[in-house]
Amino acid sequence: DAVTHTLGARGRYGHGHGAAAARVGLVDFACLRPPPRLRIPVAGLLEHFKLIGCFDDGSVEFMTKVIEASGMGNETYFPPSLHHIPPAATHGEAIREAHMLFFPALDDLFAKTGVPPSSVGAVVVNCSGFCAAPSLSAIIANRYGMPSDVRTCNLSGMGCAAGAIGVDVAAGLLRAHAAMSYAVVVSAEIVTVGWYSGKDKSKLLLNCYFRTGCSAALVTTKRGGGGVKYRLVSVTRTNQTANDRSYRSGYRDEDDEGITGFTLGHGVGRMVSELLRAHLLTLSLSILPWREKLRYVAALLRHRRHDKKAGSGGGIPMPDFRAAAEHFCLPSSGRPMIWRLGQGLGLGEGEMEAALMAFHRFGNQSAASLWYQLAYMEAKGRVRRGDTVWQLAVGSGLKANSLVWERVADDDHFATERHGRTTLGPWADCIHKYPVTEG
C-alpha cells in the first residue's frame, strides 16, 4: 500500500539512492511574524466563537475542550478576515491574506540572503486549501518583477506535508536546468478559506489548530558559493493514496447543511501509524549510520525469535533516530499528538521542545510549521556546524515526507544580524521566554 521515493547522499549516512542531493543547499529561510494587531488570545477566541452566532453550544464546548488541551498559547494569530463578526471568508479577503503572508516573508528572505528576486529561476508555492487565478506563484512573480523565464509551480491539497514536497520539486527544477541557480519555496495556509462555520465536529478541528504563518526558503545548486547554510542530505517521500482507507482519512467536502469544511475521517490515527511505519523503515535505510543499522537489524531478529517462541506479538522495535539527527522538527498537531509521535520515535522532551514551543507560540501553520521550529532552534543557538536536522511532515492522502539537512555554515550563535536582518527571525521578541512549562 505504500509508495516511497528516497533521494539520499553519500557520506556520514552511508550510500543513498543518488548523490544529487548533496549538490542542493539551503541558502537561508525566513518566517513571517504577523503584526500584533492580529493576535488572538485563547480567551478572546472562545468568546469570538460564542459571539459570531454560527456555532451552537455543543460546537463551542467541543472547540473549547480541544483548544484548552492542545498546548496553544495566547500569542497566535488570525488573518483580518476572521476577526470580523461574522467572519469575512471571501475570495477577496483570501487574496489580501496571501499578500500579507507572502510579501513580508519574501522581503525578509531576499534581504537576509542578498540574492535579488531577478536571480530566482523558480518559485514553488504550497497552499493546501486555496487556489487563486492568477496562481499564487504568479502573484509573487508579478510583485517582484521576476524574469519571463521564471518557472512557477503551485502545490495544493497536500496538507502539512507539502513543504517537503516543495523543496523536492524545487531541487528537481534546479537539477534539470543547469542555468538556474536559485529557487524559492513558499509555504503558507490561507486560513480565511479554511474557516468552517458549521456544526460537524469532525470539521471543527481546523478552527481550533490552524493559525496565520508563512515561510520562504531559498535553495540552490550553485557551486563555489560560501553562502549556503544547510546541505540537503536526504529526501524521503511515502504515500498510501492507493489505499482507500488512507485516501479517506482527510478530505474537504460539504456537511449536511452544504457548508464546506475539512473532515478528519474515522481511524485516521491508525492509518497515520501504518504510514509512518512504512516511511520510517525506508528513511532509516537512508540516514542511519551503519552501526545503528546493524543494531536495529539485530533487535528485529531477536524480536522475531521471541515472537515465535512466545506465540504472540509485541511492540516492534524502532531504530534510534537520535543516532542520525541532532535536531527534530515534527508535525505541529497539538501537544498530545506531538508527545505521542515523539515518544513513538524514542525522542525525549528536549528533542520535542521545538515542536511544542512553536505550536504554543504560533499554532499549526501547516507546512510552514517545520520552518518555525528550525527558526526556534537557531534562535536558541543550538544548531552547530556539522549538526543534522530532520524535518518530518504528514499530510492528506495520506503521505509522509522527510527532509534531512546538515548544517555546513559556521555557527552564528552570537550574531544578531545577517545583511542587516535579525537572525532570530519570528522569535526575536520572545525567545527568552521559552521554553514555557504547561501546567
Side-chain angles (χ1 to χ4, degrees), residues 95 98-99 102 123 125 130-142 152-155:
I95 292 292
H99 289 195
F102 296 162
V123 178
V125 177
F130 180 59
C131 293
S135 68
L136 297 176
S137 55
I139 289 173
I140 292 171
N142 173 263
T152 56
C153 302
N154 256 45
L155 304 177

Side-chain angles (χ1 to χ4, degrees), residues 90-100 130 132-134 136 139 190:
T90 65
H91 181 85
E93 287 291 344
I95 292 292
R96 281 186 280 275
E97 182 184 353
H99 289 195
M100 181 196 75
F130 180 59
L136 297 176
I139 289 173
I190 307 300

Side-chain angles (χ1 to χ4, degrees), residues 159-355:
C160 302
I165 298 173
V167 171
D168 195 17
V169 170
L173 288 169
L174 288 168
R175 289 191 295 266
H177 301 280
M180 186 186 298
S181 296
Y182 298 100
V184 167
V185 181
V186 179
S187 300
E189 207 57 69
I190 307 300
V191 183
T192 292
V193 296
W195 177 258
Y196 173 66
S197 58
K199 303 176 180 63
D200 185 341
K201 291 181 180 179
S202 65
K203 300 183 191 302
L204 289 171
L205 290 176
L206 262 67
N207 293 358
C208 300
Y209 289 150
F210 276 70
R211 297 294 182 268
T212 297
C214 178
S215 66
L218 185 68
V219 294
T220 185
T221 51
K222 189 175 181 180
R223 296 177 180 271
V228 173
K229 184 183 279 189
Y230 294 90
R231 177 178 67 94
L232 182 59
V233 172
S234 173
V235 179
T236 302
R237 294 170 55 182
T238 305
N239 76 75
Q240 290 185 327
T241 51
N243 182 314
D244 288 342
R245 290 180 301 149
S246 177
Y247 180 75
R248 294 293 292 175
S249 292
Y251 53 91
R252 190 171 176 84
D253 67 347
E254 293 84 17
D255 64 14
D256 293 340
E257 299 178 3
I259 302 173
T260 301
F262 186 85
T263 300
L264 287 177
H266 295 294
V268 63
R270 182 176 67 256
M271 295 309 303
V272 169
S273 296
E274 292 180 12
L275 169 69
L276 285 175
R277 277 196 293 271
H279 180 72
L280 295 174
L281 176 61
T282 304
L283 179 70
S284 64
L285 295 175
S286 174
I287 69 171
L288 285 175
W290 282 111
R291 179 177 296 179
E292 177 57 23
K293 289 179 183 178
L294 293 173
R295 187 206 66 80
Y296 178 52
V297 169
L300 279 177
L301 292 175
R302 288 195 300 270
H303 174 76
R304 289 175 181 175
R305 285 198 299 267
H306 179 270
D307 281 354
K308 287 182 179 179
K309 291 179 180 179
S312 61
I316 299 176
M318 288 289 293
D320 184 359
F321 286 103
R322 291 174 296 183
E326 286 80 19
H327 311 285
F328 301 84
C329 303
L330 304 175
S332 190
S333 48
R335 180 174 56 194
M337 290 300 295
I338 293 171
W339 267 102
R340 193 175 308 161
L341 175 59
Q343 290 176 332
L345 293 173
L347 305 182
E349 186 173 359
E351 286 91 10
M352 291 184 271
E353 181 183 315

